[in-house]
Amino acid sequence: MSVFKDGNSWAYKGKIAIPFEPGKYKSYYKRGFSKKKDAQRAKQLFRDNFSTHQKDITFDELVNLYRANYRTQNVKESTLIGDESYYRLHIQPVLGKYPLSQVTTQAIDLWKSYMIKKPKTERKKNKNEYYSTATINHAKSVISKYLSYAVRLGFISYNPCHNVPSYQNKEELKEKKEIKFWEVNEFKTFIASVDEKRWNDIFTFLFFTGLRESETFALSWRDVDFQKCTLRINKSITYKTKAAPWKITTPKNENSIRIIDLQDTLLDRLKNRLEKEKHKDGFTLDYFIFGDIKPVSRSDLARKMDYFIQLSGVSRITPHGLRHSHASFLIKSKIDDSLIAERLGHTVAELRKTYAHIYDSMRQDMKRILDETCKIE
C-alpha cells in the first residue's frame, strides 16, 4: 500500500516515473504523520512537486512526446496527422517555443487574438479573408488535447484552456452548408456516360449502398456473403498515414460497424467482377473488391467523377454526394428512419440533423396534401 501504518504513525512510499528516461523511476518514502489523511495529502503534494519541478519542456517537445506515445491515448494515426497539421499551421508559430509553465490562460487568450486577426495563407480560393469560428475553435481544441496530456504526465497541474471560452464571432454570417446530391434520373444520366466498366461499377455501388468512400475501398471479397445477399462493413481505409500510402483502420464510429442487404442488381455486378478477378495471378479473397492488392485512391475517384460529370452534363457533386443521394432517395421513398440510419451507419438523430432540409421539404408536401384533402366547399 502507498499509504500505510508504520508503528505509531502513518507513512507513504512508492515510486514515480522519471520524465524522458524510459524505464527509470525514483523511489520515495516518508513517515511520521499522525493522521492517514495527512500522509495522503503529503504524498500527493510530493508527486505533484516532483513532476512540475522536472525539466520544463516546451510545447514543441510536448507534441513530439505525444507523437511518440499516441497509441497509449487511444488515438488513430489519421487523427494524429490531422492534429499535427493544425499545430504546425495555427499553433506552433505562436506557442511552439513556450515552456509549458508559461502556457497560461493569458498566453492562450493572446494566441486566440492572433488567430482572429490572422489572414489566411492557404492557396485555396476562399470567400473570407480570415479564419472561420470553426477553424479557430478546432485549433483551440487541439491545444487543449495536448495540454490535457501534459496534465496526465504531471508537467502542469491544470489545463489553462478550460478557462478560455470558445470564440464566437457575432458578425460572421452562418451560412448553412448546402448538401448537394442527385435524384435518380440525374444519376442515370451520369452513369450512362461512364463507359469504363470498373468505374461504372464503383459509382453504381456508391449510389445504391450509401457507403462512405473509405468504407467502400476497404472492402475485400470476404466481406460479401453471396448466399445471404449481405455486405459486412467493419473497417475503413485512410490515406493519412506516414508509414505507407494507405492503412486499414477501424470505422468512423461504433454505428459504422454493420451488415447491410445488397440488392440483386449489385450482387450480379459483384459476381461478374469476382469471376474476372479470380483469374489474376495470386488472387485471394483478401483482394480489395474495387482494387486488387492495392485499394482505389480517393484522388482517382474524384478525378474520374469530375471527368464523367463534365461528359454527362449533370450538376457537379462530390463523391460523398453519392452517399447523400442514397440517403435522400430512401427518405423520399418513405423508408423507416431507423432502417435508413442503420444502413448508413448513423443514429436516427444524426440522420434527421444531416438531412433536415429534406424532412422540411416533406413537411411542406404533407401540409399541401392536408390542405387539399381538408378543403370543404
Side-chain angles (χ1 to χ4, degrees), residues 41-59:
R41 192 178 298 118
K43 183 196 103 170
Q44 189 59 52
L45 184 62
F46 168 80
R47 292 182 66 91
D48 288 346
N49 286 338
F50 178 84
S51 297
T52 55
H53 288 138
Q54 298 307 302
K55 178 185 176 185
D56 191 7
I57 66 171
T58 65
F59 212 126

Side-chain angles (χ1 to χ4, degrees), residues 54-225:
Q54 298 307 302
K55 178 185 176 185
D56 191 7
I57 66 171
T58 65
F59 212 126
D60 278 345
E61 289 173 317
L62 175 68
V63 172
N64 291 336
L65 188 62
Y66 185 91
R67 181 190 306 120
N69 298 287
Y70 76 93
R71 294 184 188 279
T72 66
Q73 310 306 309
N74 299 320
V75 172
K76 287 186 178 182
E77 186 184 15
S78 56
T79 302
L80 174 76
I81 292 172
D83 288 345
E84 288 190 340
S85 175
Y86 258 76
Y87 180 74
R88 286 191 301 272
L89 182 61
H90 301 305
I91 304 165
Q92 189 176 36
V94 178
L95 299 176
K97 301 303 179 185
Y98 267 57
L100 290 185
S101 61
Q102 295 179 27
V103 182
T104 60
T105 298
Q106 184 181 19
I108 295 171
D109 229 16
L110 289 171
W111 166 84
K112 192 169 78 169
S113 296
Y114 156 81
M115 278 296 296
I116 293 169
K117 299 172 184 175
K118 176 186 175 186
K120 287 181 177 176
T121 56
E122 294 94 328
R123 293 178 183 176
K124 295 179 182 178
K125 292 180 180 178
N126 292 290
K127 294 180 182 178
N128 302 317
E129 183 182 351
Y130 297 96
Y131 288 103
S132 68
T133 300
T135 297
I136 295 171
N137 286 331
H138 183 75
K140 176 179 169 284
S141 74
V142 172
I143 295 176
S144 184
K145 182 186 293 187
Y146 286 134
L147 292 180
S148 291
Y149 179 63
V151 171
R152 287 196 294 276
L153 292 185
F155 288 118
I156 52 177
S157 58
Y158 76 103
N159 184 343
C161 266
H162 295 166
N163 295 328
V164 179
S166 296
Y167 175 54
Q168 292 182 346
N169 184 356
K170 301 295 184 182
E171 297 177 0
E172 183 176 286
L173 292 174
K174 291 186 177 179
E175 295 181 11
K176 255 190 173 180
K177 196 173 180 181
E178 183 186 358
I179 292 180
K180 295 182 179 180
F181 59 91
W182 286 333
E183 302 289 354
V184 175
N185 286 340
E186 288 177 284
F187 175 73
K188 287 181 176 179
T189 301
F190 166 79
I191 205 67
S193 71
V194 182
D195 55 1
E196 298 178 37
K197 185 68 171 68
R198 178 196 188 205
W199 288 105
N200 194 294
D201 285 345
I202 290 172
F203 293 131
T204 301
F205 187 89
L206 288 168
F207 185 87
F208 285 109
T209 62
L211 265 66
R212 301 175 178 93
E213 302 124 78
S214 57
E215 294 171 340
T216 300
F217 296 154
L219 292 172
S220 72
W221 289 107
R222 292 189 187 278
D223 296 318
V224 186
D225 190 325

Side-chain angles (χ1 to χ4, degrees), residues 51 103 266 351 375:
S51 297
V103 182
L266 286 184
L351 179 76
K375 281 181 181 177

